[in-house]
Each structure stands twice: as structure tokens, then as C-alpha cells.
């Protein structure tokens, strides 16, 4: 089918494959946050991804962007936040309606990645750009 996603029973497999691909580089959290933020910003609709960075003096002098300190991804009525707290990732999944947070749940990195994979897969059903992101992560 030309490398396009099929809306049949393969969706759960796509989500599992995407989650595995997203987890692939999570061992080195600094590199993971940098790569993930760049890929998501390039792949998802404009404004869906917000990245905060901390720039040291040496980063500024060298013209580097700095270390990613937080990543917020808005996919429909779900906002996924990933922040570093004392070198550990802290994930949060928020249910929002018109900017009002209805629920907030702190989660571990694995659960956050799974929620991100589900959100990207759901968004891919209606967004060509998100579909490209999904195919990129799945190696298609």
C-alpha cells in the first residue's frame, strides 16, 4: 500500500513498534532528549512541540543550543510533558480541554513513551505530517 499506514488491526502493532523505536536511544538521557525534541519538532504540526533548554556560559560562547530541560508535546486534548529532575526524567500526562487541565498524572519514562507513541499514531490518522513522523520512526 505504498508504505502508508493501514487503519486495520495493524494499528496496535504500529504503536508498539513506534514505542520501541522511541525507547531505542533512551539510555543516554541528554542525547535522547536532544534527538527526540529535534525529531518531534520536525515531524509534528507546528506548535505541537515546545522545547525548553538550559544554556551554560560555555554553550553561549560556543553557539550551542544547550541542554534540553523539558519537552511538551500537545496531541489533541492530551499534553505530554517530560522534564529532567536531578538527572532523572519525570513524565506527566495531562488531559486538557481548551487550555484547562482536567487531569494530571505523573508517569515513568516507559509509560510516557507509550503514551507519546499512542498519541502520534492517533494524530497520524488525520495529519499527513504526523503520519510522516510515524513512518520515519518505524523506518518506512
Amino acid at each position: 500500500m505504498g508504505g502508508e499506514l493501514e487503519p486495520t488491526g495493524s494499528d496496535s502493532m504500529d504503536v508498539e513498534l513506534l514505542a520501541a523505536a522511541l525507547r531505542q536511544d533512551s539510555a543516554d538521557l541528554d542525547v535522547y532528549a536532544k534527538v527526540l525534541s529535534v525529531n518531534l519538532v520536525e515531524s509534528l504540526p507546528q506548535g505541537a512541540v515546545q522545547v525548553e533548554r538550559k544554556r551554560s556560559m560555555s554553550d553561549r560562547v560556543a553557539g550551542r543550543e544547550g541542554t534540553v530541560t523539558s519537552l511538551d508535546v500537545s496531541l489533541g486534548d492530551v499534553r505530554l510533558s517530560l522534564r529532567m529532575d536531578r538527572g532523572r526524567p519525570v513524565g506527566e500526562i495531562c488531559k486538557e480541554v481548551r487550555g484547562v487541565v482536567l487531569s494530571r498524572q505523573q508517569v515513568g519514562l516507559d509509560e510516557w513513551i507509550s503514551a507519546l507513541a499512542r498519541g502520534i499514531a492517533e494524530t497520524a490518522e488525520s495529519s499527513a505530517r504526523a503520519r510522516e513522523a510515524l513512518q520515519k520512526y518505524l523506518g518506512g
Side-chain angles (χ1 to χ4, degrees), residues 15-125:
V15 171
E16 291 172 22
L17 289 172
L18 178 58
L22 289 168
R23 282 186 187 93
Q24 185 173 336
D25 298 319
S26 64
D28 183 344
L29 290 173
D30 285 338
V31 171
Y32 180 67
K34 214 175 269 189
V35 169
L36 183 62
S37 65
V38 168
N39 286 337
L40 289 175
V41 167
E42 290 176 355
S43 302
L44 292 175
Q46 187 171 353
V49 180
Q50 302 295 320
V51 180
E52 289 183 25
R53 291 180 168 85
K54 181 178 179 181
R55 292 179 69 194
S56 66
M57 183 58 76
S58 62
D59 288 333
R60 290 184 183 113
V61 170
R64 294 186 298 249
E65 292 182 325
T67 303
V68 175
T69 57
S70 71
L71 180 64
D72 287 318
V73 182
S74 295
L75 298 167
D77 60 354
V78 175
R79 183 170 45 87
L80 301 154
S81 300
L82 186 63
R83 304 197 186 316
M84 297 302 289
D85 183 25
R86 297 184 196 114
R88 287 187 23 214
V90 176
E92 187 174 74
I93 301 172
C94 298
K95 176 90 167 172
E96 288 185 341
V97 175
R98 286 178 245 150
V100 176
V101 177
L102 300 178
S103 68
R104 182 182 309 260
Q105 177 186 10
Q106 283 206 341
V107 296
L109 183 60
D110 278 345
E111 190 172 341
W112 188 88
I113 290 170
S114 293
L116 177 63
R118 282 190 306 274
I120 290 173
E122 288 169 8
T123 302
E125 292 176 8

Side-chain angles (χ1 to χ4, degrees), residues 6-20:
E6 298 175 11
T8 61
S10 68
D11 287 347
S12 64
M13 181 61 120
D14 290 339
V15 171
E16 291 172 22
L17 289 172
L18 178 58

